[in-house]
Amino acid sequence: MGSPSLLDRVQEKPDVEGNLRQLRRQRLSERGKFVYIPLQAKANLQAHDEVRFPLMEKLEEFLSSDQKVFLLLGDSGAGKSTFNRQLESHLWQSYKKGGVIPLYINLPAIDKPEHDMIAKQLRKAEFTEPQIRELKVHRKFTLICDGYDESQQSHNLYTSNRLNQTGEWNAKMVISCRSEYLGIDYRDRFQPGDRNRQSESSLFKEAVITPFSMSQVQDYITQYVSVYRPLWEVNEYMKSLELIPSLKELVKNPFMMSLSLEVLPRMVNPGQDLSATQITRTALYDQFIEHWLERGKKRLGEKNLGPQAKSAFESLIDEGFTRNGIDYLKKLSVAIYKEQDGQPIVTYSRYKDENSWKAPFFSREEEKQLLREACPLIRNGNQHRFIHRSRLEYGVALATFDPHDWKEKTATQATKSRVMNTRSVANSNDDDGIEEAPSMIEQEPDTDSPLIWRSFINEPSTLQFLEERVLQEPLFRQQLLYYIEQSKTDKKWCIAAANAITILVRAGYQFNSADLRRIRVPNADLSYGMFESSQLQGADLRNVDLRGTYGMTIAAGLNDGWIAVYPTSNWESLWTLESHNREVLSIAYSPDNIQIASGSQDGTVRLWNSQTEDCDHVLHGHYDWVQFVAYSPQGNQVASASDDQTVKLWDVQTECQHMWIGHTEYVLGVIYSPNGSQVASNSQDYTIRLWDIEAERYSHVLRGHEHYVVSTAYSSQGDQFASGSYDRTVRMWDVATGNAAISSTITPVLSDRSCIHPTGINLRLLVMISLFDCGMLMQESVFIPYRATTKMSQASYIRHKDTLLPGVCRQTMTGHSQSVTSVVFSPKGDQVASSSYDKTVRLWDVGAGTSRYISSGHNSVIREVKCSPRSGHIATCSEDSTARIWEIATGICHQILRGRSGSMNDVAYSPQGDQIASCSADSTVRLWNAETGACIHTLTGHNNAVNVVAYSPHGHQLASASDDYTVRLWDVRSGECSNILIGHTSPSEVCNHTLTYQGGWRRSVAYSPQGDQIAFGSDTAVRVYDVGTQKYRHIFIGHNHEVFSATYSLRGDQIASGSKDGTVKVWDIESRTCLWTLAGHTGNVHKILYSSRGDIVITVSDDKSVRLWGVMSGQCLAVIQGFKVYIWDIAWIEAGEINYLAAGCEDGSGGMWQARVTEDHYRVSLHWMSTKGELDVKDANIQDVQGLNQLDKQLLKQRGALGEPVHRLSEASKKLATIASVVSKLKTPSHEVEDPALITGVVMGQPEQRDSQAVDVQLRDIVAAFVRDTRGFL
C-alpha cells in the first residue's frame, strides 16, 4: 500500500503518499492531551451573538460546497488557532490515499506567504521539489492558514498565490484573523476575485466565533478538571465564577478560560470573601507568568544539569529567578517590537545572528538558555515564538510599566525634592491621595519606553493591558500625564503623548476642564472621551479620532413638512431639511448617524444625508400617512409603518421594498429585534405582529390588548417582547412562542420611544446624545416629546471648597441635569447610586468618579435610591407611582413595582434583601418580593401620605411614618399593623402609649441597631418607643423648633437629632441626658449620619453646608460649604484610614469627598464633583480628524479650530473625488505650482499656512459641483 505502483515507477513519478503518511503521524502526535469544546459562531461581525451555529458543521458545509475561502474571525483568545488545529486533526483522521490533503500553515512562520506559500510549507515538511511539483499538478488541498493578523499581512493571499488558476495549486482556504485587526473593507483582503461580481462573491464565506455560553464554560471546566487534575474541583471553579465580579465575562473567552483555571487556586485564599475579590485580565496574566516561571524553575531544579548550567541556575536563584525571568520576557518582547515591528516569530541562526540583537536572547550562554527554557516560549527548529501572541503583548505592556520596577525606583528616589509638573493636564481627576508621596517624586520616564518610539493606537490587546494598569497604578497615570505635558514644548514626546491620552481615555479618565493647550497628540484615539470645558488652543490633533466626543443635536419634525436640526449648545437652527409637503410624523437616525429617515403625512419616506443636508432617496409606496420609521441595527434597511395598514422594508441603497400586509387598522409603530432578523409592528387593531425578515411573512400575531397598541420594545437578548396599550396594560411576550408571559395594569404613560399623541398624531424629536450631554459615556439615541425641549436644564457649574482645610479638586465631571434626590453607597462601597429629578439613576465609581451606567425609565421625579444588601441590584421610587429594581452590572431594569396612584415617597430593602417596602402618597405601604416583583402585602391604615419606611434590623417588623402624625409598626409576615405610635406637642405629657400630636410632616423614623427601639422626631422632641413593651421609653426635649431628623449610633447607645433651630443634639440613651449641643449650622438640619466607628456625626443643613463633628469632643472637625443650592442627600462609607462622603444636590450636581486624620487634625478634600462648561479648541489643529459629522465640524470651526477633518466618503464618492481632482488639475494653468500637500497627502508645515486650506475649499466645491452635475446619470 505504501510503495508506489509499477506504472508510477516506470513513469518516474515521485512517491508522495509515504511523506504524507509521515506528515499525518507527526501532526496527529503533536496534539497531545488537551481540552476542546466545540465552538459556536455567528454569520458576520454585525450579527447578534445569540444567533449562532456550530462552527465545525458550517466548516464542513463549506468543504463540500463550491466555495473557495472561509474567513474565520474572532477576538484575541477566542479559540481560532485551537479550532484550526482541531480541524486539521479531524481532516487527517478521515484522510484516505489520493484524497484532499489538509495543510496547516502558521502564517507568521512563513517568509513572505503572499508568494508560493504552499511550496514553502511543504519544504518545511521535508518534501522534495519533484514531490512538490507532483502535488501541485495532481492533488487538491485544504489550506488551514492560521494567524493572518500575526503575520501583519495586507495581501489577499488567495489571489497573490494564484490559487485555482490554470497551472496553479488546486485548494480551498480556511484563514483566521483577529477581528480587531481588520478595517471596514476587510473582505477585500480575502474575497476571491471581485466581490462586486455575484459569481465570485459567492465563493466567499465567513464566520465569527462567539463567546462561550455558560453551558460551554461548565463543559470546559469539567473536561479541564478531568484532564489536568488541578487543586480545585468543578464546584469550586463554578462557585468562583458566580461570586467573583467580572470573572464570568472573562472566561467567556476560551484562552482566558484556560488561563483562569490554571491560576485561580493561587489567587484565592481559603475562606476569602469571593464577592470582594477583584480580578482583571492583567491580574490573571501577572499570576500566570509568575506561575509559569516558578514551574519552570522547579523543572530545571529537577534536571541533571551540567556544572556550568548548575552554577548559572544557582546564580539566577540567588538573584531571584522569577524576576530574572520576567525581565528576560520584557526585554525580548520590546526587542521583537523594535526590531521586527511586532512580528512574533524570531528565526535565529547561531553563526548568522551571532552579533545581532537576537544573540542576547537565543545564544548558548547558560543563563540565557535556562531563562529561555523557563519562559512561555515555543521552539520549532530555529524558530522561536511565545506560546500565544497575547504573551508578547503582555510583555511589551509590562515593559512599558512594571509596578515592581517603579516601586523600587520610588524607594530609591524618595529623598529627591524635584516635583514633576503634571498639574495643568491633571484636572480634577487627579489621584485620590492614596499614592500622594510617590506621585510627588520626580519620575522622568525612560526615553527608551515603548510608548515613545512605537504607536499602539491600533493594537487593542496591548492597550487593554495598559488601560487596566492605569486603573490599578496611580503612578502610571502620572507618568502618562507627564508625556502629555511634555508634548506641549517638545515634539519628541508626540508619539508617547498620543499613546498616553489614548490609554487614559480608554481607562475612563476625564479631561474635563483640563489645560491641554498646545499638546501634540496626532493619530490619537479620543473616541467617546470626556473633554468638557477642556482648553485645546493650539493643539496638534491631526488625524485624531474624535467620534462621540462632541456635540448633541435634536431633529424636529414640523407641521409644515420641514425638519429642523438644532445643536443644543446654542439652540440656533443649524439647518432645515425641506422636501415633505405635509406634516412630518417620524424621524430616525441611522446607527452610524450619517443618515436620517423621516416619515410624513404625504405618504413618503425620505432618507437624508446628515452630513450634507441632501435628500438621498424619496421612497414611494405607501398611499396614506407614514406613522413610524426605524433603522435596522445594521443600518442597511429602513422599516416604515403606515395608516394604509401595511409595513414596508426598504433597502437604503437600492430603494427595493418588501410590503407586509396583515393589520386591519392603522399601523402605529415598527421596531427591529436586536439582531435585525425580526420586525415587530403595532396597530390600532389591538395586535402586534412579529415578521420574519428572511421568510418575508409574519411568525406570530400577539393578541390580548383591548385598545390601541402604542408602544413596543424588545429585550436586549431579543427573546422577550413588551407592549403598551391605551388599555392601561403592559404585556410581556415570549418571542419564540408568541405567548403572553406577564400582564400588568398601569396608569396611562406614553412611551418615550413612541411619543404618540392621544389623537394618534406623532410629533417626535430624535436626540443624538454624545459625550457632552451631562456626562453620558456612550453614544445612544432616544426619543423625547417635543414639549420637553423648552424645559431641558443644564447642570450648573459648581466648585466646592473645604473652608477649614482647603481641599484639592480631584476630579471634575458632569452629573444629573436636575435635582439629585438621593445618594447611597453599594454594600461593597465601590459604587455610589444617585437618583434625580431628571428621571435617571446613575452609578458612580467611587475611586474614579466616572458614571458607569445610566438608567432611565421613570417618567417623573425619582425620590429615593437604595442598594440591596445582597448587592447586584438597586431599587428606586418615583413620583410616577412606581418603584424599579435595576441590575448594577448591566443597568437593565429587572422589575417594575407599580403602586395604585400618587407619588412613591420612599423605598427600603429588608436586611436579608429578599423583600422591598415602598410607601406612597396614596396612604399605603406595599411589601414586594425583590426577586419576582410580586406584591406580597398592601398595608392600609394611614389616612395621609406616607413619607418614610424602615425595617427593623432583624427584618421582622416595618415602621412607616406619615403626614397623619403617626408612626405605624407592621408585621412583615402577616401584614398586620401591630402598633400605632402617636406623639404630642406638650413637653409636660407623661410618656404613654397613646398621646396626641399636632406637629407637621413626619420626616424621619429610625430603628435602633438592636431592633428593640424606634426613634422619631415629634414637634420639638425626639421620642423613643420600646418595641417590646409597646410603650414610650424616653422623650428627649431640648430643641426649640421642629425636629427634622434623628438617627442612632451603630452601637445604639446614642441618638443624634437635627432641628429647624439649626442645632444638632447628641443624646445618651442610658442616662437620658444631652451630651452635646452642636451649634454651627444656620439653617434647618435635615439629615444626620453616624460614622460606623461612632466617633463622627455628619450633618446636612439648609444653609448649604455639610459638617463633620467629633462625638467625643463635641467640636466641629470640618465644614464643607460653598454649595450654591440645597443638598438633598448624603452617604458615608469608611475604607481603612480613608472615609468617603457623597452628596447630591438640588441642581443635579454631585460630589465625593475624602476625609482622613492627618497629623492630629481632620482633613477633608474634594475627590470629584459635577461641572458643566464649554470646550475651547481655538487654534487646535484638526487636520484629518476622523469621526466628526457636519455639525461637529461647524461647531469646531466656530470655536476657532484649524485644518480640515476627514470627510466620510463612500467608495463611489471616493471615485468621484478622484475624477474631480483630475478635473481641477486640468483647469489649473500650467504656470501655477500645485500645493505639494495636495499631491503627497502629507501635512506641510503648521496650520497657519492657509494656502493649502484654500485649495482644499476649492477642491471641495469642485467635487460638490461635479456630484450635482453627474447625479442624473449615476
Side-chain angles (χ1 to χ4, degrees):
M1 178 180 175
S3 58
S5 67
L6 177 61
L7 179 60
D8 288 340
R9 291 198 299 271
V10 169
Q11 295 180 347
E12 297 183 353
K13 286 186 178 181
D15 174 29
V16 294
E17 286 299 333
N19 291 67
L20 289 173
R21 285 196 304 274
Q22 182 178 346
L23 178 61
R24 177 178 181 271
R25 284 194 299 269
Q26 175 191 339
R27 297 301 297 170
L28 291 176
S29 65
E30 289 176 358
R31 295 294 288 139
K33 66 176 183 178
F34 65 98
V35 176
Y36 178 75
I37 297 296
L39 297 178
Q40 299 282 308
K42 59 182 181 179
N44 50 53
L45 291 171
Q46 291 74 39
H48 198 277
D49 283 350
E50 299 304 317
V51 183
R52 50 191 189 172
F53 47 79
L55 179 57
M56 188 63 79
E57 290 182 14
K58 189 64 66 174
L59 207 291
E60 288 175 342
E61 290 178 15
F62 162 78
L63 293 176
S64 61
S65 72
D66 294 330
Q67 295 173 319
K68 298 301 181 184
V69 176
F70 189 102
L71 172 61
L72 178 60
L73 298 174
D75 295 336
S76 176
K80 300 179 295 296
S81 296
T82 302
F83 176 82
N84 284 339
R85 289 192 292 270
Q86 179 68 15
L87 173 63
E88 181 201 21
S89 176
H90 172 69
L91 295 178
W92 271 126
Q93 287 172 352
S94 59
Y95 173 78
K96 295 181 179 179
K97 182 179 179 180
V100 179
I101 301 168
L103 188 63
Y104 180 90
I105 302 176
N106 183 12
L107 291 175
I110 300 293
D111 183 36
K112 297 180 179 179
E114 61 268 25
H115 299 298
D116 209 20
M117 67 175 175
I118 300 177
K120 291 175 181 177
Q121 181 64 33
L122 291 172
R123 292 187 190 105
K124 290 170 67 72
E126 299 182 353
F127 281 78
T128 65
E129 293 303 318
Q131 288 175 320
I132 293 173
R133 287 194 295 271
E134 171 69 16
L135 291 170
K136 185 174 184 178
V137 173
H138 297 290
R139 301 300 294 273
K140 294 181 180 180
F141 285 81
T142 296
L143 305 181
I144 306 171
C145 301
D146 193 33
Y148 180 87
D149 54 297
E150 293 188 35
S151 65
Q152 299 180 336
Q153 279 293 316
S154 59
H155 295 86
N156 185 320
L157 297 183
Y158 183 91
T159 56
S160 66
N161 280 275
R162 298 175 56 82
L163 299 181
N164 298 309
Q165 296 188 26
T166 304
E168 299 296 337
W169 295 93
N170 188 341
K172 286 176 177 280
M173 176 187 287
V174 178
I175 185 166
S176 64
C177 180
R178 284 200 282 189
S179 306
E180 57 265 35
Y181 181 75
L182 303 174
I184 296 175
D185 295 324
Y186 65 90
R187 291 183 180 89
D188 290 337
R189 299 189 186 186
F190 308 99
Q191 179 80 46
D194 187 350
R195 65 172 174 150
N196 293 317
R197 294 183 181 178
Q198 183 63 34
S199 60
E200 295 183 353
S201 64
S202 62
L203 302 177
F204 175 75
K205 189 76 173 177
E206 68 179 303
V208 183
I209 298 174
T210 56
F212 270 174
S213 65
M214 285 312 297
S215 61
Q216 286 177 297
V217 167
Q218 186 160 4
D219 290 345
Y220 191 102
I221 292 174
T222 303
Q223 275 197 39
Y224 180 88
V225 171
S226 175
V227 171
Y228 295 109
R229 303 293 182 186
L231 295 175
W232 280 9
E233 296 297 330
V234 173
N235 62 323
E236 293 174 286
Y237 281 116
M238 294 305 297
K239 180 181 178 182
S240 68
L241 290 183
E242 289 298 325
L243 297 179
I244 297 178
S246 76
L247 185 59
K248 190 178 291 187
E249 287 302 314
L250 281 172
V251 301
K252 288 183 178 180
N253 177 293
F255 182 76
M256 293 305 300
M257 161 67 84
S258 62
L259 191 149
S260 301
L261 298 184
E262 185 165 347
V263 302
L264 266 177
R266 290 166 48 90
M267 300 181 72
V268 178
N269 298 320
Q272 181 176 335
D273 180 8
L274 296 180
S275 63
T277 304
Q278 295 294 325
I279 292 181
T280 63
R281 178 172 179 252
T282 302
L284 288 173
Y285 273 78
D286 288 340
Q287 286 289 329
F288 175 82
I289 294 299
E290 287 189 16
H291 179 53
W292 186 284
L293 289 167
E294 289 170 8
R295 195 168 56 186
K297 180 180 75 172
K298 180 180 179 182
R299 186 175 62 251
L300 290 171
E302 294 171 351
K303 288 181 64 174
N304 186 20
L305 300 174
Q308 290 183 330
K310 186 175 182 180
S311 175
F313 182 60
E314 291 173 350
S315 177
L316 287 171
I317 290 177
D318 291 341
E319 297 172 5
F321 188 91
T322 300
R323 285 309 310 173
N324 272 304
I326 291 174
D327 288 341
Y328 176 90
L329 179 146
K330 292 190 300 184
K331 291 175 181 176
L332 176 58
S333 301
V334 169
I336 289 174
Y337 270 89
K338 181 175 283 189
E339 304 295 339
Q340 296 192 165
D341 196 30
Q343 209 281 343
I345 295 181
V346 181
T347 302
Y348 177 75
S349 173
R350 178 183 175 188
Y351 297 104
K352 179 181 176 182
D353 300 312
E354 188 173 10
N355 297 317
S356 73
W357 68 270
K358 304 174 186 178
F361 304 102
F362 302 104
S363 68
R364 294 189 177 183
E365 182 185 343
E366 298 292 345
E367 285 191 0
K368 297 297 186 293
Q369 280 187 301
L370 292 170
L371 291 174
R372 190 164 63 244
E373 189 174 341
C375 278
L377 297 170
I378 296 174
R379 177 180 177 182
N380 184 9
N382 65 344
Q383 293 185 333
H384 303 262
R385 64 175 296 174
F386 284 91
I387 60 175
H388 192 270
R389 181 176 177 84
S390 62
R391 262 67 163 197
L392 169 63
E393 294 160 337
Y394 167 81
V396 76
L398 191 63
T400 300
F401 186 89
D402 186 339
H404 180 273
D405 290 350
W406 280 94
K407 286 174 184 175
E408 287 186 349
K409 290 180 183 179
T410 300
T412 59
Q413 295 177 344
T415 58
K416 291 187 178 181
S417 60
R418 194 153 51 99
V419 177
M420 179 174 62
N421 178 21
T422 60
R423 291 290 178 189
S424 61
V425 296
N427 58 13
S428 54
N429 273 286
D430 276 3
D431 184 35
D432 56 15
I434 298 174
E435 300 289 340
E436 226 168 70
S439 67
M440 298 298 289
I441 297 172
E442 171 68 16
Q443 295 284 7
E444 184 164 339
D446 184 358
T447 54
D448 290 331
S449 168
L451 292 182
I452 295 174
W453 46 261
R454 181 181 176 85
S455 173
F456 291 98
I457 308 302
N458 296 317
E459 299 190 28
S461 181
T462 306
L463 287 176
Q464 185 180 350
F465 285 121
L466 297 171
E467 166 194 342
E468 290 183 355
R469 198 69 79 184
V470 165
L471 298 174
Q472 297 166 354
E473 302 292 340
L475 201 57
F476 184 35
R477 185 175 65 196
Q478 292 294 332
Q479 178 181 328
L480 297 178
L481 291 172
Y482 177 94
Y483 288 141
I484 299 171
E485 182 70 21
Q486 290 301 110
S487 75
K488 295 179 177 180
T489 56
D490 192 341
K491 65 181 180 182
K492 79 174 183 181
W493 298 96
C494 68
I495 296 177
N499 281 323
I501 200 166
T502 298
I503 295 165
L504 289 168
V505 166
R506 284 174 58 100
Y509 185 90
Q510 298 179 11
F511 287 91
N512 298 334
S513 302
D515 180 2
L516 302 175
R517 289 174 291 182
R518 301 179 306 281
I519 65 168
R520 293 179 171 95
V521 290
N523 305 305
D525 182 1
L526 307 186
S527 56
Y528 307 103
M530 299 290 280
F531 292 90
E532 185 171 5
S533 307
S534 297
Q535 306 301 303
L536 285 162
Q537 303 95 309
D540 183 355
L541 303 177
R542 288 173 297 167
N543 204 34
V544 166
D545 189 346
L546 288 177
R547 285 174 301 161
T549 61
Y550 194 78
M552 172 177 171
T553 61
I554 288 183
L558 306 179
N559 291 341
D560 57 8
W562 294 3
I563 300 170
V565 181
Y566 303 91
T568 58
S569 58
N570 55 20
W571 293 100
E572 296 177 0
S573 178
L574 181 66
W575 60 63
T576 302
L577 310 179
E578 306 173 18
S579 182
H580 289 292
N581 53 38
R582 294 190 66 183
E583 182 178 346
V584 176
L585 300 179
S586 179
I587 301 172
Y589 272 90
S590 63
D592 59 8
N593 301 324
I594 293 177
Q595 200 174 65
I596 298 174
S598 60
S600 168
Q601 288 182 1
D602 64 12
T604 66
V605 175
R606 296 175 187 259
L607 306 182
W608 310 83
N609 188 311
S610 64
Q611 315 294 306
T612 66
E613 311 169 43
D614 294 328
C615 181
D616 294 337
H617 300 285
V618 180
L619 310 179
H620 297 279
H622 290 295
Y623 61 85
D624 209 335
W625 294 5
V626 178
Q627 289 279 4
F628 207 95
V629 290
Y631 276 92
S632 66
Q634 295 76 26
N636 61 336
Q637 282 183 343
V638 169
S640 58
S642 171
D643 285 359
D644 64 9
Q645 304 176 9
T646 68
V647 174
K648 290 182 182 286
L649 263 60
W650 312 83
D651 187 288
V652 299
Q653 297 295 329
T654 66
E655 303 185 23
C656 291
Q657 60 170 293
H658 301 280
M659 181 171 68
W660 292 335
I661 301 173
H663 286 293
T664 58
E665 292 289 345
Y666 297 167
V667 185
L668 301 179
V670 61
I671 59 171
Y672 280 87
S673 64
N675 61 20
S677 64
Q678 192 178 74
V679 165
S681 58
N682 52 286
S683 169
Q684 286 189 8
D685 64 8
Y686 306 174
T687 70
I688 304 106
R689 289 180 180 254
L690 305 184
W691 306 87
D692 187 296
I693 293 178
E694 186 174 353
E696 298 188 17
R697 64 180 304 274
Y698 67 84
S699 55
H700 297 291
V701 179
L702 312 182
R703 293 185 171 91
H705 284 295
E706 298 175 1
H707 210 297
Y708 301 166
V709 183
V710 295
S711 181
T712 55
Y714 279 93
S715 66
S716 59
Q717 292 78 25
D719 57 341
Q720 287 188 315
F721 187 81
S723 60
S725 168
Y726 282 160
D727 65 7
R728 300 189 179 188
T729 67
V730 170
R731 292 177 179 266
M732 294 294 297
W733 311 83
D734 184 281
V735 171
T737 64
N739 295 328
I742 303 174
S743 176
S744 301
T745 302
I746 59 171
T747 54
V749 176
L750 297 183
S751 161
D752 62 354
R753 176 180 293 277
S754 295
C755 297
I756 297 181
H757 192 274
T759 62
I761 299 176
N762 302 334
L763 185 57
R764 297 183 180 84
L765 293 179
L766 185 80
V767 184
M768 287 173 52
I769 299 181
S770 289
L771 188 68
F772 299 119
D773 176 32
C774 303
M776 288 192 177
L777 299 181
M778 61 183 68
Q779 191 171 29
E780 63 180 10
S781 298
V782 298
F783 290 97
I784 63 172
Y786 183 76
R787 61 181 179 274
T789 59
T790 60
K791 300 179 181 178
M792 292 183 67
S793 62
Q794 302 293 334
S796 302
Y797 182 81
I798 299 177
R799 186 168 293 276
H800 309 299
K801 182 173 69 173
D802 173 14
T803 56
L804 294 183
L805 295 169
V808 179
C809 180
R810 295 295 184 185
Q811 184 172 349
T812 33
M813 62 188 303
T814 42
H816 291 285
S817 61
Q818 294 186 36
S819 301
V820 176
T821 57
S822 180
V823 290
V824 63
F825 275 94
S826 65
K828 297 180 193 173
D830 59 338
Q831 288 181 325
V832 171
S834 61
S835 61
S836 170
Y837 268 57
D838 65 8
K839 310 174 189 177
T840 67
V841 179
R842 296 175 185 255
L843 299 178
W844 307 87
D845 184 276
V846 170
T850 54
S851 177
R852 291 186 177 176
Y853 298 102
I854 304 168
S855 300
S856 61
H858 289 292
N859 54 24
S860 191
V861 174
I862 301 176
R863 299 295 298 267
E864 287 289 338
V865 57
K866 300 291 174 62
C867 282
S868 167
R870 290 181 175 178
S871 188
H873 292 86
I874 59 174
T876 58
C877 63
S878 168
E879 291 182 4
D880 65 5
S881 306
T882 70
R884 291 173 183 254
I885 304 172
W886 309 87
E887 291 182 2
I888 291 178
T890 63
I892 295 173
C893 182
H894 180 62
Q895 297 288 350
I896 302 177
L897 316 179
R898 302 191 183 278
R900 187 179 66 187
S901 63
S903 168
M904 274 203 187
N905 294 328
D906 195 18
V907 64
Y909 273 97
S910 66
Q912 295 77 25
D914 59 342
Q915 194 179 84
I916 293 175
S918 66
C919 62
S920 177
D922 66 1
S923 307
T924 65
V925 176
R926 284 178 165 81
L927 304 182
W928 312 83
N929 184 299
E931 181 63 30
T932 66
C935 183
I936 304 169
H937 296 293
T938 299
L939 313 179
T940 58
H942 287 292
N943 53 37
N944 209 331
V946 186
N947 302 307
V948 182
V949 287
Y951 278 93
S952 65
H954 304 298
H956 304 315
Q957 196 174 61
L958 182 79
S960 60
S962 168
D963 282 356
D964 64 5
Y965 317 137
T966 68
V967 172
R968 289 178 178 257
L969 306 184
W970 310 85
D971 185 290
V972 298
R973 293 175 181 170
S974 65
E976 298 293 329
C977 179
S978 56
N979 287 289
I980 304 174
L981 314 184
I982 307 171
H984 196 275
T985 57
S986 172
S988 63
E989 288 289 348
V990 179
C991 181
N992 202 300
H993 181 59
T994 305
L995 300 174
T996 58
Y997 168 56
Q998 305 300 325
W1001 178 27
R1002 180 82 61 205
R1003 286 174 172 82
S1004 66
V1005 60
Y1007 271 96
S1008 66
Q1010 295 76 24
D1012 58 341
Q1013 297 176 7
I1014 297 175
F1016 59 93
S1018 172
D1019 48 72
T1020 60
V1022 178
R1023 297 174 182 267
V1024 180
Y1025 178 81
D1026 189 295
V1027 176
T1029 64
Q1030 299 185 0
K1031 294 181 179 180
Y1032 286 107
R1033 180 178 294 183
H1034 312 297
I1035 300 178
F1036 294 116
I1037 301 171
H1039 289 291
N1040 54 30
H1041 217 299
E1042 184 179 357
V1043 176
F1044 269 67
S1045 53
T1047 188
Y1048 278 90
S1049 64
L1050 263 68
R1051 289 187 297 181
D1053 57 339
Q1054 291 179 355
I1055 294 175
S1057 59
S1059 168
K1060 196 172 181 179
D1061 63 14
T1063 67
V1064 176
K1065 291 183 179 288
V1066 180
W1067 310 90
D1068 184 279
I1069 295 177
E1070 186 175 353
S1071 65
R1072 307 185 185 185
T1073 59
C1074 179
L1075 299 177
W1076 302 106
T1077 298
L1078 311 178
H1081 286 298
T1082 58
N1084 168 40
V1085 180
H1086 62 266
K1087 179 81 174 185
I1088 302 178
L1089 295 176
Y1090 266 94
S1091 66
S1092 61
R1093 299 187 185 97
D1095 58 338
I1096 299 172
V1097 170
I1098 306 98
T1099 60
V1100 183
S1101 170
D1102 290 355
D1103 64 8
K1104 302 173 185 175
S1105 72
V1106 177
R1107 287 179 178 260
L1108 277 63
W1109 309 83
V1111 172
M1112 298 299 294
S1113 65
Q1115 299 297 312
C1116 183
L1117 303 177
V1119 180
I1120 304 172
Q1121 60 184 20
F1123 294 86
K1124 296 181 180 179
V1125 292
Y1126 182 84
I1127 307 165
W1128 273 104
D1129 202 4
I1130 60 170
W1132 176 272
I1133 195 167
E1134 298 176 4
E1137 298 179 357
I1138 299 176
N1139 307 317
Y1140 289 96
L1141 172 72
C1145 303
E1146 184 178 21
D1147 65 346
S1149 64
M1152 181 85 71
W1153 285 259
Q1154 285 184 340
R1156 66 170 81 192
V1157 177
T1158 306
E1159 298 178 359
D1160 298 327
H1161 65 267
Y1162 219 77
R1163 175 181 173 84
V1164 177
S1165 59
L1166 184 61
H1167 186 42
W1168 55 261
M1169 64 180 178
S1170 63
T1171 183
K1172 182 183 178 297
E1174 189 175 85
L1175 184 70
D1176 192 337
V1177 292
K1178 185 175 180 357
D1179 295 330
N1181 186 350
I1182 59 170
Q1183 185 67 35
D1184 297 329
V1185 160
Q1186 305 168 37
L1188 299 179
N1189 59 33
Q1190 191 64 29
L1191 168 67
D1192 297 340
K1193 296 170 189 175
Q1194 290 188 25
L1195 292 177
L1196 288 171
K1197 289 290 186 181
Q1198 288 174 9
R1199 295 184 180 178
L1202 305 176
E1204 288 296 326
V1206 171
H1207 294 274
R1208 297 175 179 172
L1209 297 177
S1210 64
E1211 290 301 321
S1213 300
K1214 292 176 183 176
K1215 292 176 182 178
L1216 288 175
T1218 303
I1219 297 171
S1221 66
V1222 173
V1223 172
S1224 86
K1225 292 177 184 178
L1226 292 174
K1227 292 182 178 181
T1228 303
S1230 58
H1231 64 273
E1232 293 184 9
V1233 179
E1234 203 168 28
D1235 190 329
L1238 290 177
I1239 300 173
T1240 62
V1242 178
V1243 175
M1244 308 293 288
Q1246 295 301 312
E1248 287 78 3
Q1249 298 175 341
R1250 304 282 182 164
D1251 293 342
S1252 63
Q1253 293 181 17
V1255 176
D1256 280 343
V1257 173
Q1258 293 173 3
L1259 178 58
R1260 181 198 62 199
D1261 293 340
I1262 291 171
V1263 172
F1266 187 85
V1267 171
R1268 286 196 298 269
D1269 294 341
T1270 57
R1271 182 172 292 160
F1273 68 81
L1274 287 176

